[in-house]
Amino acid sequence: MKKAGISVSILDADLARIVNIVEEIEEGGADSIHLDIMDGHFVRNLSFGPGFVKSIRRLTDIELDAHLMVERPGEYLKGFADAGCDSLTVHLESDVEMASVLDRIDELGLKAGLALNPATELHKIESLAVRLERILIMTVNPGFGGQKFIGEGVGKIKQAREEISRLGSDALIGVDGGINNETGRSAAMAGADFLVAGSALLNSERLPDAIRKLRNECFG
Ligand code: DX5
Ligand code: ZN
């Protein structure tokens, strides 16, 4: 993922059309596909497992980012690495020893990310920030696509920008949840390096055009 990146969440995609959707994501020049992994415990929803990710990997060389909304992420890292993910983002709120989960992601040779729910305070990442490739600021409570962007997130993005430079971290800041052309612009102006967008893109008339438009409106 590069700065000014667009990542497409396929959580709400019509999976009967997934081959075409992946082609459209490539045509639109997106930087990555965001895979929302849910275990029915950390969030009250279920989504994809490693088998599905492996099938997506066969379709494309685009970067695959797994966002693990699961209670015990450590148990699934190898499975998602073997399935072909390029980065693994785990939640700070998962009840685990986070440093060892990040060690394991490093050992697997993947990029490590840490996601924060809207209610989680930023200072909690302090001791981990230097070893992260990305920080994912959630602007919805995770679990479902199509929710409304929580506006307070904008202040948190600004704060994250300041904090990571103060801490000497070069982590990218991503924003996930309720991103459309308007909210994405506020997030980008506040300092986001990449935006994750699902329903706004998937419900658009033409996905490749919507991806290009989002990039132009937010980072152009
Ligand atoms: C929420 C997920 C998000 C979400 C994005 O639990 O982590 O990635 O699916 O979808 P939209 O853009 O519809 O909020
Ligand atoms: Zn996500």
Side-chain angles (χ1 to χ4, degrees), residues 23-59:
E23 278 172 14
E24 289 169 12
I25 290 172
E26 287 183 330
E27 189 193 330
D31 298 282
S32 69
I33 292 179
H34 178 93
L35 297 154
D36 287 303
I37 313 298
M38 304 178 175
D39 67 350
H41 294 281
F42 185 78
V43 290
R44 304 194 78 170
N45 198 3
L46 296 160
S47 61
F48 321 121
F52 174 77
V53 175
K54 202 169 165 189
S55 298
I56 300 292
R57 178 79 295 165
R58 285 200 201 103
L59 297 174

Side-chain angles (χ1 to χ4, degrees), residues 16-26 59 207:
R17 290 190 58 248
I18 196 65
V19 175
N20 304 359
I21 290 173
V22 169
E23 278 172 14
E24 289 169 12
I25 290 172
E26 287 183 330
L59 297 174
L207 181 54

